Amino acid sequence: MKYFYTTIFITLSILKLQAQNLSLNDAVQKALKSNFDINIERLNVEDASQLNTWGNAGRYPQAQLQIGNSAQFQYTDPASPFALEGKSNNNTLNAGLNLQWVLFNGFNVSLKKEQLNMLEKQASWKLTYQMEEQIELVIQAYYIVQYEKEKLKVLNRILSLSKDKLENSRLQNKVGSGSSFELARDETTFYTDSTNYIDQLLIWENSQRDLNYIMGVENIDMQYDLLDSLNITPKNFNFEQLYSTALENNTSLNRQKIVEYIQENTIRQKKNLKAPLLTADFGYSGNTNWYTADMPQLEGGFKQETNRGLGYGPNIGVTLSLPIYNGGKNNRQIQSAILQREKAFIERKKIETYLKNEFTKAFLAYHNEIKKEELSKKSLASADKNLLLSKEQLEQGTITTFEFRQVQNSYLNSSLNLFNSQLSLIQSQITLLRISGSLLDIK
């Protein structure tokens, strides 16, 4: 038994030396900086931002430089006596600069730029949504660590009482005033409490590993001394004010509003499929070639000669195209875009209704948890007082070991009920703040 307590003492001492002070705000800031999912969404925002340019929308002309070279080698042995015989090669070099500019396409450039703006906002709202989701997980993980630690403290107190009782029984057996049955029961109780304590110690340590993972801390074995307790002060929320904030800041609703706007923009772009397209083309090109062949000579025989040709000059043109008929394809695309907008509108109404439903339930649940926590505190205060009195009565011999064990269990259950109530209160507050879009403002 001494070895068991020595092991626990050394383990807790090592954990205490390794532990760092960590407030809830510190945990949130670590997650905002290092959380893996948040950083992935940050890259998506950065990508959407760098794509949001007028050049990507098609405002500026497109220029191409083209360079080509071809060579032809040929040996001629003609059947006709009037054709040239011999070797020849023709080497040609072409170069050109072409520029095309869309002068008018039904204002699609402006519409595409608006769409790129909204896609960037959509990426920003996705980042906000991910931040809220991960911060919610961080806050829950933070308080779960505290929750498991409080349970560990209670089990340690129960174990200490079992240890004292077992030592007293052994002493009584040595002097001949105790019973073997009482000693065996106290030993069983001690070993049961010891097992519960060891299991809870592992649960507490693993809960800290979960917290490290969510915060993005690569050293998942890092231990913390948490500064914020489970005993929070409830906030006095006003239903109408908080619901108004939810309608304005809820991320899911704002993301859907952007989807609806993008679909409206898509309809206007599809309608422009019927608009005339006016483009201007500018270019400058040139080519040069070298022709080498065996040329017949007057005095007889052949002589290799090379001739060079050169051609260059600009070109300019304007093209106007007007779609007349394509089997109703454009009309079907417009109708499809209209239906997609209607789907987005219905989806927004669905989210608004769901938001009102979930907000109302979360608001009522939050105030219900406040009442439950108050009752749990009173229950624990009574159980703690009863435990102290029962310990005195046990030492005086006015109650049995079995009765004292019942008091211990009652104290344990009251403690766990309070911790559960405190954790549920925190979780319900987090849910309410996230629905209202206020979670990132938490301090």
Side-chain angles (χ1 to χ4, degrees):
M1 187 168 63
K2 289 183 179 179
Y3 173 76
F4 174 77
Y5 269 99
T6 301
T7 302
I8 290 180
F9 175 78
I10 293 175
T11 301
L12 292 179
S13 298
I14 293 174
L15 293 177
K16 190 69 176 178
L17 289 174
Q18 293 178 339
Q20 295 181 3
N21 290 338
L22 184 72
S23 68
L24 176 60
N25 186 63
D26 292 336
V28 169
Q29 295 305 317
K30 282 179 179 289
L32 289 174
K33 179 181 179 181
S34 304
N35 179 269
F36 302 109
D37 294 310
I38 291 176
N39 284 328
I40 289 173
E41 287 301 328
R42 280 200 178 99
L43 292 177
N44 289 333
V45 172
E46 185 178 343
D47 186 35
S49 177
Q50 65 92 17
L51 290 174
N52 184 15
T53 63
W54 279 106
N56 229 20
R59 166 175 283 187
Y60 305 117
Q62 297 182 4
Q64 290 183 331
L65 177 64
Q66 297 176 330
I67 299 176
N69 176 255
S70 64
Q72 182 183 28
F73 301 91
Q74 192 172 22
Y75 180 81
T76 306
D77 186 10
S80 171
F82 302 102
L84 295 178
E85 178 185 359
K87 296 181 294 183
S88 66
N89 63 75
N90 188 15
N91 192 9
T92 303
L93 178 64
N94 299 302
L97 178 64
N98 298 316
L99 185 145
Q100 186 179 65
W101 199 349
V102 177
L103 302 178
F104 180 79
N105 63 348
F107 305 105
N108 256 2
V109 172
S110 297
L111 291 174
K112 287 182 179 179
K113 187 61 171 68
E114 287 182 23
Q115 188 176 47
L116 290 172
N117 290 338
M118 298 312 296
L119 288 174
E120 184 176 353
K121 288 184 179 180
Q122 187 179 50
S124 296
W125 278 113
K126 285 183 178 179
L127 171 61
T128 302
Y129 179 86
Q130 189 63 250
M131 290 170 67
E132 288 183 342
E133 184 175 78
Q134 297 304 316
I135 293 310
E136 180 179 9
L137 292 175
V138 167
I139 297 173
Q140 290 185 359
Y142 182 94
Y143 282 113
I144 285 175
V145 173
Q146 279 289 41
Y147 169 77
E148 302 298 350
K149 185 177 181 181
E150 292 300 325
K151 289 171 64 176
L152 189 67
K153 290 179 180 178
V154 172
L155 290 175
N156 184 53
R157 183 178 181 184
I158 297 296
L159 178 60
S160 178
L161 292 172
S162 299
K163 169 180 171 289
D164 292 343
K165 183 65 176 65
L166 177 59
E167 289 177 345
N168 187 53
S169 294
R170 286 176 173 171
L171 181 61
Q172 289 178 347
N173 268 265
K174 284 183 178 180
V175 298
S177 61
S179 67
S180 298
F181 174 76
E182 186 90 6
L183 177 60
R185 185 168 58 187
D186 289 341
E187 286 179 341
T188 301
T189 298
F190 172 77
Y191 293 131
T192 299
D193 292 341
S194 299
T195 300
N196 292 337
Y197 183 88
I198 293 173
D199 287 341
Q200 183 58 34
L201 181 61
L202 178 61
I203 292 173
W204 174 58
E205 291 173 348
N206 284 337
S207 68
Q208 294 193 80
R209 294 185 177 95
D210 292 337
L211 176 60
N212 281 319
Y213 171 73
I214 298 172
M215 290 191 302
V217 177
E218 295 186 9
N219 181 12
I220 61 171
D221 293 319
M222 181 68 68
Q223 300 287 333
Y224 300 103
D225 185 12
L226 304 188
L227 304 180
D228 292 80
S229 70
L230 282 172
N231 187 25
I232 66 169
T233 302
K235 298 179 181 295
N236 185 23
F237 294 118
N238 178 274
F239 182 91
E240 296 299 332
Q241 290 180 352
L242 197 59
Y243 180 63
S244 177
T245 301
L247 290 177
E248 182 179 350
N249 296 334
N250 181 266
T251 51
S252 297
L253 183 57
N254 279 291
R255 287 170 63 194
Q256 187 57 34
K257 287 178 181 178
I258 292 177
V259 171
E260 191 175 355
Y261 182 88
I262 290 175
Q263 294 301 334
E264 182 67 37
N265 181 280
T266 302
I267 293 174
R268 288 183 286 168
Q269 290 192 49
K270 295 300 181 182
K271 288 181 177 180
N272 280 336
L273 292 173
K274 297 183 176 182
L277 176 63
L278 181 63
T279 60
D281 295 281
F282 308 91
Y284 191 94
S285 62
N287 66 81
T288 182
N289 62 67
W290 294 265
Y291 181 78
T292 302
D294 293 332
M295 306 298 293
Q297 303 297 308
L298 293 176
E299 60 274 14
F302 295 88
K303 180 181 180 182
Q304 190 178 75
E305 294 184 3
T306 300
N307 294 322
R308 180 185 178 189
L310 181 65
Y312 57 89
N315 63 81
I316 185 171
V318 178
T319 303
L320 176 65
S321 61
L322 181 64
I324 297 177
Y325 179 74
N326 65 351
K329 180 180 177 180
N330 291 344
N331 289 332
R332 286 192 291 272
Q333 290 190 41
I334 294 171
Q335 186 59 31
S336 177
I338 292 174
L339 293 175
Q340 292 299 321
R341 180 194 60 186
E342 291 302 314
K343 285 172 57 178
F345 173 78
I346 294 173
E347 185 66 28
R348 177 169 62 84
K349 289 298 181 182
K350 175 185 174 182
I351 293 176
E352 288 177 350
T353 305
Y354 179 80
L355 176 62
K356 180 64 177 290
N357 183 44
E358 292 301 307
F359 178 84
T360 303
K361 292 193 298 183
F363 189 87
L364 295 176
Y366 175 67
H367 286 83
N368 187 58
E369 293 297 339
I370 293 176
K371 296 176 183 178
K372 288 170 60 178
E373 188 207 25
E374 292 174 352
L375 293 174
S376 297
K377 285 181 178 179
K378 294 178 180 178
S379 175
L380 179 59
S382 178
D384 184 57
K385 182 178 181 180
N386 191 25
L387 180 64
L388 294 175
L389 293 175
S390 298
K391 185 179 180 182
E392 294 177 0
Q393 292 175 336
L394 180 66
E395 292 171 352
Q396 296 170 1
T398 56
I399 63 172
T400 64
T401 302
F402 179 76
E403 290 173 323
F404 182 67
R405 184 62 176 176
Q406 288 181 315
V407 174
Q408 282 183 304
N409 290 334
S410 177
Y411 170 77
L412 176 61
N413 291 333
S414 295
S415 299
L416 297 181
N417 286 338
L418 175 59
F419 302 152
N420 289 329
S421 296
Q422 289 175 327
L423 186 61
S424 295
L425 175 61
I426 291 170
Q427 290 173 336
S428 64
Q429 179 173 293
I430 295 170
T431 300
L432 191 58
L433 289 172
R434 182 174 182 184
I435 292 174
S436 65
S438 306
L439 186 59
L440 295 181
D441 298 330
I442 190 170
K443 301 297 182 184

